Amino acid sequence: TRRLRTLLIAAVLLILSAAAIGVYYIADGVLPPDTANETTTDLPPEGVFIIENGILLSYSGNETEVTVPEGGTTIAANAFSGNTSIKILTLSSTVADLEDGCLLGCEALEEVRVADGGAISSSAGLVLSADGKSVIYVNKAEVAEHLVIPEGVESLKALFAGCKTLISVKLPMSLSEIPERAFADCENLEKAELGGVRLIGKEAFSSCFKLSYVDLGETRNVSSLAFSDCNALSEVKMTYVTRIYDRAFANCGLKQVDFGKRLTRIDQLA
């Protein structure tokens, strides 16, 4: 009939217009060929990835094991945030970057795996960015007992907080800052050598109850509560430190401190 013909023509035109602006969605982890630069405006069904220009914008699903499709190059901030089902996330070989917050609130997540031959690498429990300059995820159950973070790493986008395997850590000269709570609650950590770090963030090593020795390396500033409640901490070497903020070493059992010659200010109750 004329009405049916009209509806069919309208449907074809809609599909063509959608293709012209690159509209699609990926279902069940299948990426259609030659669609890496396309996107979707539809509401995604369960188990769907939304990818636009190679950026994985969101995932909708409740699977426990999820693999990012080939073609996605960047995991956008909040792409998986709040997902409480995923236990194992595998990054395909095309993924080169994870934006901050992309895994925020993934409470069930136990492991991030990296596909062989991909841009991102994984070693000793650390998932490194494609350029090797950032630790973008920490598989805490796989972290080496005596961890040496490689030279070239410039930032810690992922935290080691609560890691139970870590006994000692040595940071590279290329790393300039330790984020807040980066190593907090590492209950078996005994020794830390901080290399080229200039700033230690708030509560960075708080409640590391077995931590007994710290070499602050080139650190200039020790933030508030950085080593608070490190009950076993007895020796600290701080050759280049210029300022120690309030309660930085609160509730520590310090017996030997080498302040160096550059210290200019110690805040109250430090």
Side-chain angles (χ1 to χ4, degrees):
T1 65
R2 178 178 299 179
R3 179 176 176 78
L4 179 59
R5 187 184 299 112
T6 301
L7 290 174
L8 289 173
I9 293 174
V12 170
L13 290 175
L14 180 61
I15 293 171
L16 291 175
S17 64
I21 61 174
V23 175
Y24 82 103
Y25 61 78
I26 306 168
D28 301 322
V30 178
L31 183 67
D34 302 320
T35 55
N37 294 321
E38 297 181 358
T39 186
T40 181
T41 56
D42 297 330
L43 292 176
E46 288 292 302
V48 167
F49 297 90
I50 308 300
I51 296 178
E52 178 180 356
N53 298 322
I55 301 175
L56 196 162
L57 298 175
S58 67
Y59 165 76
S60 173
N62 55 13
E63 293 83 358
T64 57
E65 296 190 21
V66 174
T67 299
V68 175
E70 293 288 333
T73 59
T74 299
I75 311 298
N78 302 317
F80 291 97
S81 65
N83 186 300
T84 57
S85 299
I86 301 175
K87 292 184 177 181
I88 298 175
L89 177 65
T90 300
L91 305 178
S92 64
S93 61
T94 57
V95 175
D97 189 30
L98 275 66
E99 293 186 353
D100 293 347
C102 67
L103 301 175
L104 186 66
C106 294
E107 298 176 356
L109 187 62
E110 299 173 355
E111 182 181 1
V112 172
R113 297 175 180 173
V114 178
D116 293 337
I120 288 177
S121 61
S122 179
S123 177
L126 308 182
V127 179
L128 302 178
S129 59
D131 59 10
K133 293 183 178 181
S134 298
V135 175
I136 55 178
Y137 187 78
V138 177
N139 288 312
K140 294 178 183 178
E142 300 177 11
V143 171
E145 290 183 351
H146 302 284
L147 178 65
V148 178
I149 295 181
E151 286 294 338
V153 170
E154 298 178 358
S155 66
L156 301 180
K157 292 185 177 181
L159 306 183
F160 294 80
C163 179
K164 299 182 185 301
T165 63
L166 197 59
I167 294 176
S168 69
V169 61
K170 184 175 182 180
L171 304 184
M173 296 302 295
S174 52
L175 182 68
S176 61
E177 181 177 347
I178 300 177
E180 290 186 12
R181 296 190 58 78
F183 294 91
D185 302 312
C186 290
E187 59 185 38
N188 293 308
L189 181 63
E190 299 175 1
K191 180 180 179 181
E193 298 175 77
L194 306 191
V197 168
R198 300 298 182 94
L199 172 63
I200 302 174
K202 185 176 180 181
E203 298 183 300
F205 290 89
S206 67
S207 299
C208 292
F209 299 124
K210 293 184 180 180
L211 184 63
S212 60
Y213 174 82
V214 177
D215 183 345
L216 297 185
E218 297 196 2
T219 299
R220 269 49 171 184
N221 294 286
V222 183
S223 297
S224 301
L225 302 169
F227 295 92
S228 61
D229 298 314
C230 292
N231 308 120
L233 186 58
S234 59
E235 184 178 353
V236 176
K237 184 178 180 180
M238 51 178 75
T239 308
Y240 296 99
V241 171
T242 58
R243 181 174 179 181
I244 302 174
Y245 286 78
D246 62 293
R247 296 175 293 164
F249 293 92
N251 301 321
C252 291
L254 284 174
K255 296 178 181 179
Q256 181 178 339
V257 180
D258 179 2
F259 286 110
K261 299 180 180 180
R262 305 193 181 193
L263 186 64
T264 59
R265 179 173 174 178
I266 303 178
D267 286 2
Q268 188 176 15
L269 303 176

